[in-house]
Amino acid sequence: MTILIAHLGPPGTYAEQAAFFYLNWLKKMPGVEASLCPYPTIAQSLQAVATNQAQLAVVPVENSIEGSVSMTMDTLWQLETLQIQLALVLPISHTLISCADSLERIQTVYSHSQALAQCQGWLGQFLPNVNLIPSNSTAEALQGLKQEVTTAAIASSRAAQLYNLPILATGINDYPDNCTRFWVISHSQKDAGVQISSRAIAPTHTSIAFSLPANLPGALAKALQVFAHLGINLSRIESRPTKRSLGEYLFFIDIEASATQVQTALSELSNYTEIIKVFGSYSVTLIDNF
Ligand SMILES: O=C(O)C(=O)C[C@]1(C(=O)O)C=C[C@@H](O)C=C1
């Protein structure tokens, strides 16, 4: 069987780069066949796994400059059956790609909203008067550049090469150590083979999310104290609207331990929460060979 890996497309996105790294890693295993499968949105990549069109999805979760990728968190909460297998950290270096012969000629810049935000200081300094237009992905933003010389896009130098487009400026992200964390996601019950391949490395992190039974003083503090009392470190906490009513939130938490190590904490946590979802335990790998 060929393992299909869903990712945000078209070819040339950072998500494809992370998925490609994982594909090469999987292919080193005897008898494993795998190929990449681009989808127009992050939500559709995750839905592809939930509906068994693909066995894995590689999706962005968090960026060191701009923070969480809300589409990933919201979709993971909504889809019941997904599980994180592995985290991949990809260094991100953005380039300005355009057929214009100088910055002065550029009127419009397209890119994924995360990439536009990661370069907002540079854009403010060098292209203060252009229209900034968000696209579904950095690679999608490259479509149409050859026809329209007053436009530019922010994407990777790899994407520029792939589509044979000229680079006008490199390293335009506002902070040089820019990196994005991706999750490799599988179906929770299926594809034991895929799960085992990622589990060869001992899990170091567990990601969960929960809602609270009522918006009362100390409700979140009581839930978090469970971890504090047991001496368990959290590496991230994010809130997202429940979408049920204004001011009501879901809390997404990354715990620095595997689910088996924090079993007591998770069962105690259920006393203070409404719904808890455990998204999985996994290890973190840095992609440094691109
Ligand atoms: O548009 C892409 O190339 C993506 O892979 C998406 C994405 C993101 O959603 O954060 C991934 C990495 C970068 O942070 C910029 C954009």
Side-chain angles (χ1 to χ4, degrees), residues 85-129:
Q85 295 294 324
L86 185 70
L88 299 169
V89 178
L90 179 70
I92 305 280
S93 180
H94 292 302
T95 59
L96 187 80
I97 302 166
S98 175
C99 296
D101 47 19
S102 69
L103 290 182
E104 289 70 44
R105 293 206 60 200
I106 295 170
Q107 288 167 8
T108 309
V109 177
Y110 294 91
S111 197
H112 188 277
S113 56
Q114 271 277 346
L116 289 173
Q118 290 160 29
C119 304
Q120 58 189 293
W122 189 92
L123 289 166
Q125 191 180 346
F126 294 101
L127 295 170
N129 301 316

Side-chain angles (χ1 to χ4, degrees), residues 8 12-16 42 60 63 69 92 94 112 114-115 118 136-139 178 180 182:
L8 176 66
T13 61
Y14 293 102
E16 188 210 33
I42 294 168
N63 173 264
V69 180
I92 305 280
H94 292 302
H112 188 277
Q114 271 277 346
Q118 290 160 29
N136 276 332
S137 72
T138 55
N178 189 25
T180 296
F182 290 83

Side-chain angles (χ1 to χ4, degrees), residues 118-174:
Q118 290 160 29
C119 304
Q120 58 189 293
W122 189 92
L123 289 166
Q125 191 180 346
F126 294 101
L127 295 170
N129 301 316
V130 297
N131 296 314
L132 302 176
I133 306 202
S135 54
N136 276 332
S137 72
T138 55
E140 193 203 76
L142 298 172
Q143 286 164 17
L145 287 194
K146 278 186 183 149
Q147 291 74 43
E148 192 40 84
V149 290
T150 59
T151 63
I154 296 173
S156 66
S157 54
R158 179 176 162 269
Q161 251 174 17
L162 199 68
Y163 294 98
N164 200 18
L165 286 161
I167 293 174
L168 272 193
T170 54
I172 65 166
N173 28 281
D174 294 336

